Amino acid sequence: MTVLEIKDLRVRFHGADHDAVRGIDLTVADGEIMGLVGESGSGKTVTAMTLSGLIERKKVTLSGEVRFDGRDILRLPRAELRAIQGRELGVVFQEPMTAMDPLMRIGPQVEEALAVHTQLTKEQRRARALEALRDVDLPAPEEIYRKYPHECSGGQLQRVMIAAAIVTDPHLLLLDEPTTALDVTVQAQILALLRRLNRERGISMLLISHNLQVVRRICSRVAVMQRGHIVEEGAPEQLFTAPQHPYTAELINAIPRRVRRG
């Protein structure tokens, strides 16, 4: 079963002389972690914004199809699209400190989608939020619940963002550079957490990154994007060992190598 199917998606900002996304095709299967990689300007962030509904439609021309659970979200009325976002489609951003409201405690921010999309009572929302905070391996979730964002570390905040995204049991998580702002150790912990959530909850994921090493560790398939096109797609190991497109080879060659000290 396919959770997400993108067919010939094209996105052009008004006033631009070319498409930012130039007719891409992409699928995410039920229970799959799919990777989308490319350098800055490749079109992957515009793709993510289009999928999440964060792109202002009055500023762009869209064509093609984006079918989520069989519904073309490009053509849904705004109210129907909002009903899907946050409930069936969760989004995790790369900068949790800027994505979260600094004047609002963690708990209500994790509960926000529940308040918008469900009829749960205040007590039920709190219980569900605490469960989500526990599910992302945050110690003392009751304490985290009462804190403000500035009282948490970057790694804790990224876990909070993931908790907020999974609190409604979405079908798909859209992860836009979720480990970019984290150090290597915390990055590995977040990737292990995402693998566990995928395995235990069956949540499908689309992981967008400029880092091939990240997608290699977690994704079953990877699509490589350059200048608005998907130039190559395959299993991570296949891309690393036998890249078919010169751009993929360039991305691999740009990965820093460890130098042994003699």
Side-chain angles (χ1 to χ4, degrees), residues 32-82:
E32 178 180 37
I33 304 180
M34 177 72 185
L36 180 62
V37 297
E39 61 190 348
S40 297
S42 63
K44 65 186 190 303
T45 297
V46 175
T47 301
M49 291 175 65
T50 304
L51 299 181
S52 63
L54 295 176
I55 201 163
E56 292 189 59
R57 292 189 178 183
K58 63 184 179 182
K59 294 185 177 181
V60 296
T61 300
L62 300 171
S63 65
E65 294 181 11
V66 178
R67 293 198 170 274
F68 176 62
D69 281 344
R71 297 158 293 181
D72 187 355
I73 61 177
L74 292 189
R75 288 163 180 81
L76 285 180
R78 193 67 190 171
E80 288 185 43
L81 185 60
R82 279 198 299 267

Side-chain angles (χ1 to χ4, degrees), residues 49-248:
M49 291 175 65
T50 304
L51 299 181
S52 63
L54 295 176
I55 201 163
E56 292 189 59
R57 292 189 178 183
K58 63 184 179 182
K59 294 185 177 181
V60 296
T61 300
L62 300 171
S63 65
E65 294 181 11
V66 178
R67 293 198 170 274
F68 176 62
D69 281 344
R71 297 158 293 181
D72 187 355
I73 61 177
L74 292 189
R75 288 163 180 81
L76 285 180
R78 193 67 190 171
E80 288 185 43
L81 185 60
R82 279 198 299 267
I84 291 172
Q85 294 158 356
R87 182 179 180 93
E88 300 172 46
L89 173 64
V91 183
V92 179
F93 301 99
Q94 63 175 304
E95 291 286 355
M97 186 59 80
T98 56
M100 300 188 74
D101 186 339
L103 303 179
M104 192 175 181
R105 294 183 192 272
I106 295 293
Q109 297 196 61
V110 175
E111 294 175 16
E112 190 168 1
L114 296 174
V116 172
H117 297 293
T118 76
Q119 301 298 315
L120 296 176
T121 65
K122 183 177 180 180
E123 293 74 18
Q124 289 171 327
R125 293 197 303 269
R126 183 179 187 279
R128 186 80 70 85
L130 288 172
E131 179 186 359
L133 291 171
R134 280 191 289 269
D135 283 349
V136 297
D137 300 330
L138 277 165
E142 291 83 0
E143 291 181 21
I144 295 290
Y145 182 95
R146 293 190 296 269
K147 287 184 175 182
Y148 288 95
H150 73 270
E151 298 177 296
C152 300
S153 68
Q156 287 175 325
L157 283 181
Q158 196 58 283
R159 290 175 188 273
V160 167
M161 287 283 293
I162 295 170
I166 67 170
V167 73
T168 57
D169 289 323
H171 300 166
L172 178 68
L173 267 190
L174 178 61
L175 302 143
D176 186 13
E177 301 275 11
T179 62
T180 296
L182 307 175
D183 65 41
V184 175
T185 301
V186 179
Q187 181 183 97
Q189 293 171 354
I190 295 296
L191 293 177
L193 167 63
L194 293 173
R195 278 197 300 267
R196 181 174 64 75
L197 291 172
N198 169 255
R199 182 178 66 252
E200 294 180 358
R201 287 184 172 232
I203 303 174
S204 306
M205 300 181 185
L206 177 60
L207 173 61
I208 295 172
S209 180
H210 70 279
N211 190 328
L212 270 173
Q213 291 284 42
V214 166
V215 298
R216 185 183 195 180
R217 295 175 63 174
I218 191 174
C219 298
S220 57
R221 285 190 302 131
V222 179
V224 181
M225 199 165 184
Q226 180 192 31
R227 296 175 185 167
H229 299 279
I230 289 179
V231 297
E232 186 169 359
E233 182 182 322
E237 288 309 312
Q238 175 213 316
L239 265 58
F240 268 83
T241 56
Q244 300 299 302
H245 195 276
Y247 178 67
T248 308

